[in-house]
Amino acid sequence: MTNETDAWNSFFATGSVLDYLQYKSIQKAKHAADFEKDNGTEDEISDEGDHSQTTEYR
């Protein structure tokens, strides 16, 4: 498998639609991996406690 730069250079040299599609698929996979890494457990709610405290009505 080639990297994003090699795929772009191949497309740039040939102008082939298949080379462009290969470049875009590599780019999309890279961005999806970056998105997954950035949106990992940091956004999860860490407090999953019981919250059994009741409201006091006066």
Side-chain angles (χ1 to χ4, degrees), residues 24-57:
K24 289 305 285 183
S25 68
I26 292 169
Q27 186 182 45
K28 185 176 179 179
K30 179 182 173 188
H31 290 295
D34 290 343
F35 180 78
E36 288 295 323
K37 182 176 65 172
D38 291 343
N39 291 328
T41 58
E42 298 168 5
D43 293 337
E44 293 180 6
I45 298 172
S46 61
D47 181 21
E48 295 180 6
D50 186 6
H51 303 295
S52 60
Q53 181 180 1
T54 58
T55 305
E56 181 179 335
Y57 296 99

